[in-house]
Amino acid sequence: MTQPFLSIRKLRKAFGAFTAVHDVTLDIPKGEFLTFLGPSGSGKSTTLYAIVGFQDPSSGDVLLQGKSLLAVPSHKRNIGMVFQRYTLFPHLSVAENVAFPLRVRRRPDAEVKKKVADMLGLVRLESFAERLPGALSGGQQQRVALARALAYDPPILLMDEPLSALDKKLREEIQAEIRRIHRETGVTILYVTHDQEEALHLSDRIALFKDGRIEQTGTGEDLYLRPATDFVAGFIGNSNFLAAEHLETVGGAATIRLADGSLVSGISANGSFERGQKTRLMIRPEAFRLERNPASAELTVDVVDVAFYGERRRIVARTTTGQEIDIRPTSAAMASQDATPSRRQVFFDPGAAFLFPA
Amino acid sequence: MSVETEQSIATKRMPAGLGGLLPALTLIGLFFVVPVLALLLRSVTDPAPGLQNYTALLGDGTYMRVFFNTFLVAAVVTIVTVLVAFPVAWMLAIMPPALASVMFGIIILSMWTNLLTRTYAWMVLLQRTGVINRALMATGIIDQPLPLINNLTGVTIGMVYIMLPFMILPLVGTLRAIDPMTLRAAALCGASPFQAFRRILLPLSLPGVAAGGLMVFVMSLGYFVTPALLGGTSNMMLAEMIAQLIQSLLNWGLGSAAAFILLIVTMALYALQLRLVGARRATGGI
């Protein structure tokens, strides 16, 4: 097996009785854009801090190209990092901020000048070189921070929720910028966010954290279309969970009984279930259809509300047992449908529905 | 940007503020400006009209030694105070707020304790047969008592102790405004702890060091009790000399001239600091 570029081995971090990170193991190939996604307090930032050396792990190891980083002090780890808050040096100009890592490495002046010009070009802030950080907008400051973090060609760039202080429009702009810079420089990026959309837009792979453990690692599509646990299903995208009783599973296809008594077969089963076990059936809002097709299962609902969301509509409906569900058909599909609140059938492909333990 | 805003707010508030300032202005006018002017008048009229008091002070080696010694003591005290206060202020700035307020309480409490009491305490500690010398000799670190009192060492120790709160308080304010993440960022950029201190923390804390340093320097220039009790006769300071000129020698003219020179120097230093800090604001935006 080839040696992974960055390797996190059974990393564990405990604060007293509380364990923030439980035995996280992860290999990251060179050039990958990997995102740690998870709710706050799920251990993703703690893992990142162990990699940069702000926190010593209780056990486990972090290897860069096969060598342990743990004994190396932060300032010698040679890792680039962009922080959540703006951490530019307020008394230094934009150019001197970007030059700082090179100056502390005592690089020759000519090299520093050239590199600063290159980096400011990369983040398109050439004309701001002489400004002080206080005279820049939040988005510009984060771009300078990015330039500073990349100035010394670090093998890995870490980003700890770098866009969380920016408004939505700026966030999208800088996301595009980060993607472009990743493409152009080929740097390995470890990105931390609690925003699933951000993770899906940016990453090659996502490691989804929950309570200090990695719940699932995979591409955005993996996590969205093939969630390993109900937590993943609930965290990535929107999901409806319906109470169901498991009857039998044959070859990965489960048959269940929903709360209203209807039977559904051909459900994708995640794990093995007992006969009669209480389970939860996950169906994405956009997996529901308003027209029957031969393979589809059906569900009787009362439409409560219909709202227009541009390309899609959102129907809030209630099952006959009183559970509220969310349905997002395309607006085109809705055009020929009666949108007034009433009792009706909705349909879903059992293969796109997942069964999880209750 | 922030400077402009501050100025525009100041201009707007000025007319309304003037009326409210009247009582304070009257008080300062009656009990500060008028006496200072009387002092100035006395320094050029007593015993006869003319500048002879000033030429006597500035032309005489003994008096000049006192001026020099005053500045020397004030400078040494200021430097030592900055060196001692900086780490304390940094700890206060980064420690949990609850613990920091306890520490502040201790520092403020020391300021509330009577100045004379504290200075006499130092005399007990520092003298030849004092606690410090006896302890050092008992442990065999020294054979002869160290000369810790009636010299520059004694004055410096006593005055640094008194001045520390005046340095720590403004410095904590400045240091607290520095985001600790800035220093983490510096470390990740490859800066060693020393480089991070010299290139980031120190420049960012300079306004606080300057404010506290000037306060300590100016207060030290005019200090009387501590130098009089802990200092020696060979390194008399200006305040002590003024006291002697007026109380013992009843030379009001010379005493007034010396006091006036002290006032001018103090105001010049203050103006200098305003300029430096003002210039920093304009270029640095800190």
Side-chain angles (χ1 to χ4, degrees):
Chain A
M1 192 187 103
T2 57
Q3 190 181 65
F5 185 63
L6 179 71
S7 185
I8 302 169
R9 297 276 165 81
K10 298 193 85 141
L11 194 76
R12 183 184 181 83
K13 176 68 186 176
F15 299 97
F18 171 70
T19 306
V21 177
H22 293 269
D23 299 333
V24 163
T25 296
L26 196 61
D27 285 336
I28 299 137
K30 190 172 170 59
E32 185 174 59
F33 194 130
L34 181 94
T35 297
F36 291 174
L37 176 65
S40 55
S42 60
K44 54 196 196 308
S45 287
T46 309
T47 306
L48 201 69
Y49 286 172
I51 297 171
V52 295
F54 291 165
Q55 261 156 14
D56 292 325
S58 309
S59 64
D61 205 349
V62 179
L63 306 168
L64 180 63
Q65 294 176 302
K67 287 187 205 93
S68 174
L69 280 178
L70 294 186
V72 182
S74 282
H75 69 277
K76 289 186 179 151
R77 287 195 189 189
N78 218 21
I79 293 175
M81 182 152 176
V82 177
F83 295 83
Q84 188 170 358
R85 280 174 294 160
Y86 318 132
T87 53
L88 296 180
F89 309 128
H91 59 303
L92 299 178
S93 69
V94 165
E96 276 309 309
N97 263 280
V98 178
F100 183 83
L102 304 169
R103 296 239 188 265
V104 298
R105 286 174 174 74
R106 304 191 194 293
R107 298 279 175 79
D109 239 20
E111 187 197 325
V112 173
K113 266 204 188 106
K114 182 173 179 311
K115 194 72 196 182
V116 169
D118 287 353
M119 284 299 127
L120 289 180
L122 184 68
V123 297
R124 306 183 209 214
L125 286 173
E126 299 95 327
S127 53
F128 292 84
E130 295 316 312
R131 301 260 190 111
L132 285 166
L136 265 52
S137 71
Q140 289 168 335
Q141 289 192 41
Q142 282 304 59
R143 276 149 70 192
V144 177
L146 196 55
R148 183 179 68 182
L150 289 170
Y152 44 104
D153 301 315
I156 325 167
L157 176 64
L158 307 187
M159 305 179 90
D160 185 13
E161 310 222 8
L163 308 182
S164 58
L166 305 179
D167 63 42
K168 188 170 158 42
K169 194 171 165 294
L170 264 177
R171 264 207 308 272
E172 282 168 7
E173 189 186 311
I174 311 241
Q175 277 177 17
E177 201 90 329
I178 292 171
R179 277 183 70 92
R180 178 179 62 81
I181 287 168
H182 179 239
R183 224 173 29 242
E184 286 177 16
T185 60
V187 63
T188 308
I189 296 183
L190 265 185
Y191 191 98
V192 167
T193 184
H194 62 266
D195 181 339
Q196 44 130 339
E197 274 182 41
E198 203 170 291
L200 292 171
H201 291 170
L202 290 171
S203 331
D204 296 329
R205 273 199 308 158
I206 297 171
L208 184 58
F209 278 71
K210 183 204 176 195
D211 299 334
R213 289 188 173 84
I214 294 183
E215 195 83 353
Q216 186 175 0
T217 310
T219 63
E221 258 185 67
D222 285 340
L223 269 59
Y224 191 83
L225 298 176
R226 290 172 289 280
T229 65
D230 58 339
F231 177 77
V232 177
F235 199 83
I236 308 265
N238 296 291
S239 301
N240 293 298
F241 288 99
L242 296 174
E245 182 193 345
H246 175 259
L247 299 178
E248 61 169 0
T249 303
V250 179
T255 302
I256 55 153
R257 183 186 288 125
L258 289 173
D260 64 3
S262 60
L263 296 183
V264 186
S265 304
I267 301 286
S268 313
N270 255 300
S272 57
F273 301 94
E274 306 284 315
R275 183 180 181 84
Q277 187 180 338
K278 297 263 172 260
T279 56
R280 301 206 299 159
L281 181 66
M282 186 278 276
I283 310 169
R284 297 283 185 198
E286 67 276 11
F288 280 109
R289 276 170 229 301
L290 301 173
E291 276 131 4
R292 188 191 302 271
N293 73 38
S296 60
E298 63 178 65
L299 190 65
T300 306
V301 297
D302 293 308
V303 174
V304 176
D305 186 37
V306 181
F308 181 62
Y309 270 64
E311 54 198 294
R312 285 192 178 271
R313 280 181 205 235
R314 178 173 181 213
I315 301 177
V316 179
R318 200 170 283 132
T319 65
T320 50
T321 54
Q323 192 185 349
E324 205 161 88
I325 60 170
D326 188 357
I327 302 172
R328 307 261 175 101
T330 60
S331 293
M334 277 292 288
S336 58
Q337 298 285 330
D338 176 17
T340 51
S342 64
R343 174 159 292 200
R344 60 163 305 146
Q345 310 294 114
V346 291
F347 307 94
F348 61 93
D349 169 11
F354 293 84
L355 199 62
F356 296 107
Chain B
M1 187 185 78
S2 62
V3 174
E4 273 169 30
T5 331
E6 273 165 31
Q7 274 169 354
S8 59
I9 289 170
T11 341
K12 271 179 207 153
R13 282 188 184 162
M14 204 52 127
L18 265 182
L21 279 177
L22 259 179
L25 284 177
T26 315
L27 205 68
I28 291 174
L30 277 180
F31 297 103
F32 182 71
V33 178
V34 171
V36 165
L37 288 176
L39 197 73
L40 173 63
L41 198 66
R42 196 141 202 181
S43 72
V44 292
T45 56
D46 193 336
L51 291 172
Q52 74 276 12
N53 285 325
Y54 291 92
T55 49
L57 277 176
L58 299 174
D60 184 298
T62 319
Y63 293 136
M64 283 312 283
R65 266 238 321 278
V66 173
F67 278 114
F68 172 77
N69 189 55
T70 306
F71 282 96
L72 178 73
V73 170
V76 170
V77 166
T78 306
I79 291 166
V80 176
T81 306
V82 169
L83 293 180
V84 177
F86 201 99
V88 178
W90 179 241
M91 290 310 295
L92 283 169
I94 60 174
M95 73 176 44
L99 191 57
S101 34
V102 174
M103 297 293 156
F104 270 120
I106 294 171
I107 291 169
I108 304 275
L109 202 65
S110 83
M111 285 170 74
W112 285 350
T113 313
N114 182 281
L115 178 67
L116 263 176
T117 319
R118 288 190 284 159
T119 306
Y120 279 124
W122 274 116
M123 289 175 74
V124 173
L125 288 172
L126 296 176
Q127 57 189 271
R128 279 180 68 84
T129 55
V131 180
I132 291 172
N133 269 322
R134 265 195 285 177
L136 286 176
M137 280 166 60
T139 52
I141 296 172
I142 53 169
D143 311 324
Q144 293 288 318
L146 293 172
L148 296 176
I149 200 168
N150 299 330
N151 54 22
L152 186 60
T153 313
V155 179
T156 306
I157 292 172
M159 287 189 47
V160 165
Y161 166 71
I162 286 158
M163 295 300 170
L164 271 176
F166 300 99
M167 188 71 226
I168 290 172
L169 296 180
L171 205 47
V172 169
T174 312
L175 290 174
R176 272 202 180 144
I178 300 173
D179 190 339
M181 286 308 262
T182 316
L183 296 174
R184 285 189 158 182
L188 277 187
C189 283
S192 65
F194 176 73
Q195 281 173 320
F197 171 76
R198 195 178 67 77
R199 288 173 177 266
I200 308 297
L201 188 60
L202 193 60
L204 286 177
S205 59
L206 267 189
V209 173
L214 183 85
M215 174 112 87
V216 169
F217 190 79
V218 165
M219 283 174 72
S220 302
L221 279 181
Y223 233 65
F224 176 69
V225 176
T226 308
L229 294 177
L230 296 177
T233 42
S234 62
N235 43 24
M236 182 190 271
M237 285 179 72
L238 200 54
E240 226 182 318
M241 183 181 84
I242 295 170
Q244 276 203 10
L245 285 173
I246 292 175
Q247 284 180 348
S248 314
L249 306 173
L250 295 173
N251 190 339
W252 279 86
L254 212 53
S256 304
F260 201 70
I261 289 172
L262 187 59
L263 183 65
I264 295 291
V265 170
T266 307
M267 281 169 65
L269 284 171
Y270 185 60
L272 183 74
Q273 196 224 12
L274 277 188
R275 256 190 86 128
L276 287 181
V277 173
R280 177 172 291 278
R281 282 238 172 94
T283 59
I286 301 164

